[in-house]
Amino acid sequence: NMGSIDRRLKTELGSLPSPEPRPAHVDETAALCLKAYRARRRMSRLSVTGLIAGQLRFVAAPIWAAQAAAVLCMCLVLRLAMRSEDFAADAPALLGMFSVFVAMSALPFYGRSRKYKMRELESSTRLSSRRLLLAKLSAVGAGDAACLTALSLTGGLAGAANAALGLVVLPFLLACTGMLLILEHSGEEHGLHAALGFGFGLAAALWIFRTELGELCAELGTAPAAAVCAAVLAALALECRQLLRQLPARDMQQALSY
C-alpha cells in the first residue's frame, strides 16, 4: 500500500550518503551572493519633510479640489455682491463668513479613514500616524492659505493689512481653533455636528453684527490686529501640537483623521 511504499522510500533515501559540495562551487555561490548583496538597492532613512511631501500626493488632491471649488463659488458671490449698493456695508461680514467657510472645508474629510474602514490598514503599515496626520494638516493648511489669499484679493484687501487681518485671517483662525477644540474634546459621533454648528453659528454672528464689525475693522490698527491674530494662531498651534502628541493613545480609542 501507499504507507509501506512511503516508509521504504524514506528508509532508502536516508541510507544514501549525503553528497559533499565541491569547494569551487561553494566559493562560486558565495561570490554570487556577495555580488547580489552589493548590487541591492540601498535603503535610506526618509526625513519628515520627504515623508510629508510623498504623502501629499495621496491626501492633497481631494482636499485641494474641494477647497478650490469652495473658493471659486465664494469669489463669484463676492463679484455679484459688488454690484449691490449695500456692498460696502456688507463686505466685512461677507469676507468674515467666507473665511469661516474656508476653515470648515476640512470637515468633510474628518473621519474618512473610519468611514471607509481604512484605519486598520493605515495602522498595519510602517507609516507613522503622526506624520500622516501632519501631512494631511499640511495639505489643508496650504489650501486654506491659497483660499484666504484669493478672498483678500477678490475683496480688494490687497493693500489694507488691518482689514485683511481683521476680516479674513482672524475669523479663519477663530473658526479653526474652535472646531479643533470641539473635535478634540468631544465624542467623534457628535463632535463633527458640534463643529458644524459652531462654524455656522460663528458665520451667522458675523452677519448679524456686520455693522459693528465694519466699525471695529475701521478703528482697529494693523498692530493690534496682528497681535490678536498671533495670539489665536499660538492657541491653534498648541492644539495641533497636542493632537500630534496624543494621537497614538487616542488611536486605540477612537479614529480622528481628516
Side-chain angles (χ1 to χ4, degrees):
N1 53 21
M2 294 299 297
S4 61
I5 295 175
D6 185 58
R7 286 192 296 270
R8 287 182 61 186
L9 286 175
K10 287 182 179 181
T11 303
E12 292 293 334
L13 292 174
S15 62
L16 294 176
S18 300
E20 291 293 333
R22 297 181 180 179
H25 290 171
V26 174
D27 295 339
E28 183 181 358
T29 303
L32 290 175
C33 292
L34 183 60
K35 181 180 178 181
Y37 176 76
R38 290 175 176 175
R40 77 190 189 282
R41 181 181 178 184
R42 300 299 179 94
M43 304 298 292
S44 59
R45 292 184 63 86
L46 187 62
S47 63
V48 176
T49 305
L51 179 58
I52 293 175
Q55 285 302 306
L56 284 179
R57 295 183 302 165
F58 303 101
V59 302
I63 296 175
W64 287 348
Q67 290 173 329
V71 76
L72 285 176
C73 294
M74 294 173 190
C75 292
L76 178 60
V77 171
L78 278 177
R79 288 296 184 186
L80 294 176
M82 286 180 180
R83 303 176 182 177
S84 173
E85 297 179 356
D86 299 330
F87 176 74
D90 297 340
L94 285 175
L95 289 173
M97 291 172 62
F98 289 160
S99 300
V100 174
F101 293 152
V102 168
M104 295 171 62
S105 64
L107 291 178
F109 303 96
Y110 173 78
R112 291 180 69 206
S113 297
R114 174 190 55 81
K115 179 179 178 182
Y116 294 106
K117 311 299 182 183
M118 293 295 292
R119 293 299 298 178
E120 295 80 3
L121 182 59
E122 290 180 357
S123 300
S124 65
T125 63
R126 295 183 178 181
L127 184 64
S128 170
S129 298
R130 285 193 184 100
R131 295 180 183 180
L132 178 58
L133 180 58
L134 184 58
K136 294 178 182 179
L137 291 177
S138 299
V140 173
D144 287 340
C147 292
L148 296 180
T149 302
L151 284 177
S152 299
L153 295 177
T154 306
L157 303 180
N162 61 330
L165 291 173
L167 300 178
V168 177
V169 179
L170 184 57
F172 170 79
L173 293 177
L174 287 174
C176 289
T177 305
M179 288 188 296
L180 185 58
L181 281 169
I182 293 172
L183 293 173
E184 268 292 280
H185 300 288
S186 61
E188 185 181 0
E189 295 183 359
H190 306 289
L192 181 59
H193 298 89
L196 284 172
F198 172 79
F200 284 119
L202 181 58
L206 291 173
W207 179 255
I208 293 173
F209 299 102
R210 57 186 180 275
T211 303
E212 292 81 358
L213 181 63
E215 295 175 355
L216 179 62
C217 181
E219 297 175 358
L220 191 64
T222 303
V228 175
C229 290
V232 182
L233 180 61
L236 178 61
L238 287 176
E239 283 300 316
C240 292
R241 182 172 180 269
Q242 184 179 3
L243 172 63
L244 291 172
R245 292 181 62 183
Q246 294 181 354
L247 184 64
R250 294 175 66 89
D251 264 351
M252 303 302 296
Q253 301 172 7
Q254 59 182 1
L256 180 60
S257 173
Y258 286 101

